[in-house]
Amino acid sequence: MAIRSVLSRRTLSSLKESSSKLLGLRGIQTFTLPDLPYDYSALEPAISGEIMQIHHQKHHQTYVTNYNNALEQLDQAVNKGDASTVVKLHSAIKFNGGGHVNHSIFWKNLAPVNQGGGEPPKGALGGAIDTHFGSLEGLVKKMSAEGAALQGSGWVWLGLDKELKKLVVDTTANQDPLVTKGGSLVPLVGIDVWEHAYYLQYKNVRPDYLKNVWKVINWKYASEVYESECK
Amino acid sequence: MASCVVTTSSFCTVSDSSIRLKSSKLVHLQRRRSLGSRGGLKVEAYYGLKTPPYPLDALEPYMSQRTLEVHWGKHHRGYVDNLNKQLGKDDKLYGYTMEELIKATYNNGNPLPEFNNAAQVYNHDFFWESMQPGGGDMPQKGVLEQIEKDFGSFTNFREKFTNAALTQFGSGWVWLVLKREERRLEVVKTSNAINPLVWDDIVCERVSLIFSCYKVMFPLDHMYFCCCCLQPIISLDVWEHSYYIDYKNERGKYINTFLNHLVSWNAAMSRMARAEAFVNLGEPNIPIA
């Protein structure tokens, strides 16, 4: 019995860039590049269409491809009982898998202005932000500062600590998902501060990117995640 | 001035109208005097932005002028400016050479805030000098012999170097280093601002312990043995800002171009020669006059 290997939501409109692999015989599921629910140029002027296209079609696609390759190699190594290869693949899986996970969240964290991008959060999440950070401006200031101060490549996150029932701001290095900072952390908003996320437009001025990206943050999605985790 | 640059590194005080060079000894004297100073001498800035040894468009088409303008003119300059700002806050880190400053601020793996800037200033100085117009191709004579000895072949070295550069996840650097203890060349990769200089301390502590017994008979300066256990020979910047303007996400293409057209084996040769002052690689090849 073949196992369908598509694990992400796809829009009906475009079928490009997805290479779905049916590996039913082997039993491992592989991953495909999720489509963006908006055009590449829809986030301008905050993020240029050129950046969005390369970021999605090249960087994210590479993570997906390499993740799938690593998983295949892992599967073979596991079946052969090759423990040292299994361990050796660990960093490639963490990096590429993390890259896929993080970017899949990131595309949903963004929305064009005419689809609600930049609109402040209402409801439960809005209240929680005011409680924990004083105001949305306070949260934005904190996340922007931490994002700017992050050395090298990484992400800055607004997360929900499920156990402690509080919002946290944290950073992760390279492509580490937020869960590597705490098993009970659920990512609500992640901002990519790798240079590839802003370089063509903002060059070395990461703080300018961080100032502008808030204009296209999709708080509706973050609220949905927050409310579903808080049930 | 179109750009305010100082062409020699370390120990420069920069004021609007003049540039004064000071040795480390003088800086120490300065420190004592500057508190309640008579004569108004004030140490203001410590490191200058060194220009690359070629014009900014000299590496075209392999590394564009635009890249050099942003990478050197903004990133590298930013590290220098921020380092000077940090050093200006108090006098704890006066009097170090750049290599000493990096090791001191690395603080055995618990880096101080100054480390990132200090290390990146060094890293970028080293990087510009690891390239030259008309670079690439193959090394000659001693360097080539050493590479073939330690890697089997130049092709094998290229493969190792390329692979390290491709698998440095995130930001970082790739280095060809001469390892003092092992007396061989190796390719190492480092992340973010880290460079091979910071790996000295563990080895050097051992060395100095051994030699401490001989201190009475042979009064040897501790620092002599702790100079660069890993001698960098060549480096490649694999932070995205280094290649994004010219190559976008195609790091592999950038690495290939560096090895084919940019890497300065001349610089490698002179660095090897200097490194051999600290590493005994065997019988010297004395040319017959």
Side-chain angles (χ1 to χ4, degrees):
Chain A
M1 194 141 64
I3 298 172
R4 276 300 310 247
S5 58
V6 176
L7 283 185
S8 52
R9 265 180 275 131
R10 296 156 52 116
T11 59
L12 293 167
S13 45
S14 71
L15 294 167
K16 60 179 181 199
E17 297 304 328
S18 54
S19 53
S20 131
K21 282 168 82 167
L22 294 167
L23 288 172
L25 296 173
R26 282 212 198 92
I28 67 163
Q29 287 182 312
T30 55
F31 297 85
T32 60
L33 183 72
D35 288 321
L36 298 191
Y38 40 79
D39 287 336
Y40 288 131
S41 54
L43 301 181
E44 286 178 358
I47 305 178
S48 73
E50 194 190 8
I51 289 182
M52 288 303 292
Q53 181 166 8
I54 297 175
H55 203 172
H56 180 247
Q57 282 183 356
K58 308 270 178 195
H59 289 277
H60 191 174
Q61 178 65 69
T62 304
Y63 290 129
V64 171
T65 307
N66 292 342
Y67 185 38
N68 288 334
N69 287 338
L71 287 177
E72 264 193 70
Q73 290 176 51
L74 177 69
D75 190 54
Q76 288 170 9
V78 166
N79 287 330
K80 276 195 282 184
D82 184 352
S84 64
T85 304
V86 169
V87 172
K88 206 169 61 151
L89 286 167
H90 154 83
S91 68
I93 288 174
K94 182 178 184 195
F95 180 66
N96 292 297
H100 172 56
V101 165
N102 291 340
H103 285 88
S104 302
I105 298 171
F106 188 50
W107 308 134
K108 293 188 246 185
N109 280 151
L110 301 170
V113 171
N114 59 20
Q115 286 178 34
E119 252 177 54
K122 305 175 185 66
L125 179 59
I129 288 176
D130 289 342
T131 309
H132 287 106
F133 303 102
S135 63
L136 180 63
E137 286 72 40
L139 168 66
V140 165
K141 204 165 157 211
K142 186 172 165 81
M143 279 183 79
S144 299
E146 296 215 9
L150 192 150
Q151 285 167 14
S153 310
W155 293 74
V156 59
W157 301 95
L158 170 68
L160 166 68
D161 189 325
K162 270 193 299 195
E163 272 173 34
L164 300 178
K165 301 240 189 301
K166 55 185 280 219
L167 295 176
V168 297
V169 167
D170 208 344
T171 57
T172 56
N174 298 336
Q175 291 298 352
D176 296 353
L178 182 60
V179 74
T180 56
K181 281 293 193 83
S184 57
L185 293 175
V186 176
L188 301 174
V189 176
I191 300 179
D192 190 350
V193 292
W194 279 64
E195 285 172 328
H196 65 236
Y198 60 88
Y199 206 74
L200 294 176
Q201 192 176 348
Y202 296 96
K203 301 290 181 306
N204 64 311
V205 195
R206 194 192 278 177
D208 277 359
Y209 159 67
L210 288 167
K211 225 182 352 178
N212 285 307
V213 76
W214 295 105
K215 300 178 187 159
V216 288
I217 289 293
N218 183 2
W219 286 109
K220 263 190 279 191
Y221 169 74
S223 292
E224 285 167 20
V225 177
Y226 179 76
E227 278 159 28
S228 71
E229 289 293 337
C230 273
K231 280 207 195 77
Chain B
M1 288 189 267
S3 58
C4 184
V5 296
V6 180
T7 52
T8 51
S9 63
S10 79
F11 302 118
C12 311
T13 63
V14 179
S15 58
D16 279 329
S17 52
S18 67
I19 296 169
R20 272 170 262 151
L21 294 170
K22 295 190 186 304
S23 70
S24 56
K25 283 212 176 106
L26 274 175
V27 173
H28 277 119
L29 289 171
Q30 276 284 302
R31 186 185 359 155
R32 270 182 245 133
R33 266 202 304 187
S34 70
L35 308 164
S37 60
R38 354 158 221 136
L41 274 165
K42 195 179 172 221
V43 182
E44 284 171 355
Y46 313 95
Y47 291 95
L49 177 63
K50 215 168 159 185
T51 47
Y54 37 76
L56 296 187
D57 63 351
L59 300 180
E60 294 260 13
Y62 309 111
M63 189 176 278
S64 66
Q65 177 176 354
R66 185 78 186 116
T67 293
L68 266 292
E69 281 170 0
V70 184
H71 196 176
W72 173 77
K74 304 225 191 260
H75 289 271
H76 189 176
R77 188 189 301 272
Y79 290 125
V80 172
D81 291 346
N82 290 335
L83 177 63
N84 285 331
K85 262 189 236 152
Q86 287 173 319
L87 293 178
K89 288 199 194 129
D90 56 43
D91 61 2
K92 276 197 295 241
L93 292 168
Y94 280 15
Y96 286 100
T97 64
M98 180 52 96
E99 281 90 347
E100 292 169 359
L101 182 65
I102 290 171
K103 280 182 249 182
T105 52
Y106 184 65
N107 197 21
N108 285 312
N110 217 351
L112 307 175
E114 293 84 353
F115 171 74
N116 190 58
N117 291 318
Q120 285 289 73
V121 170
Y122 171 89
N123 293 341
H124 283 90
D125 280 342
F126 193 86
F127 177 52
W128 305 130
E129 289 163 10
S130 297
M131 296 189 288
Q132 67 173 77
D137 209 9
M138 296 258 295
Q140 309 282 329
K141 298 189 195 134
V143 175
L144 181 60
E145 271 171 30
Q146 194 65 38
I147 287 180
E148 287 175 341
K149 178 159 167 265
D150 296 328
F151 291 98
S153 67
F154 184 71
T155 314
N156 206 23
F157 153 73
R158 267 196 74 128
E159 213 182 286
K160 276 224 154 77
F161 193 87
T162 304
N163 194 47
L166 286 170
T167 56
Q168 177 44 42
F169 295 148
S171 312
W173 301 78
V174 186
W175 309 80
L176 173 65
V177 296
L178 182 62
K179 283 189 155 178
R180 199 164 62 90
E181 289 258 304
E182 292 90 333
R183 300 185 197 183
R184 48 176 294 123
L185 289 171
E186 259 183 52
V187 169
V188 298
K189 55 188 182 182
T190 57
S191 79
N192 293 354
I194 295 179
N195 58 43
L197 298 180
V198 308
W199 293 330
D200 279 4
D201 293 347
I202 299 167
V203 182
C204 285
E205 251 175 65
R206 261 187 265 138
V207 172
S208 75
L209 271 173
I210 292 167
F211 280 93
S212 60
C213 345
Y214 298 93
K215 259 192 188 150
V216 175
M217 289 192 289
F218 309 102
L220 298 159
D221 186 350
H222 171 88
M223 282 310 295
Y224 174 81
F225 289 97
C226 286
C227 273
C228 307
C229 300
L230 276 83
Q231 298 272 351
I233 305 293
I234 286 289
S235 79
L236 174 62
D237 189 348
V238 291
W239 282 63
E240 283 178 326
H241 64 235
S242 187
Y243 57 91
Y244 216 78
I245 292 176
D246 296 331
Y247 299 97
K248 309 282 186 305
N249 64 308
E250 293 180 300
R251 194 191 275 191
K253 230 171 155 188
Y254 162 67
I255 299 163
N256 261 342
T257 306
F258 171 80
L259 289 170
N260 289 338
H261 299 287
L262 290 172
V263 63
S264 171
W265 290 116
N266 286 332
M269 199 154 53
S270 59
R271 286 160 177 173
M272 277 284 283
R274 183 186 169 274
E276 288 183 45
F278 302 99
V279 186
N280 181 4
L281 287 173
E283 283 304 305
N285 242 337
I286 301 169
I288 300 164

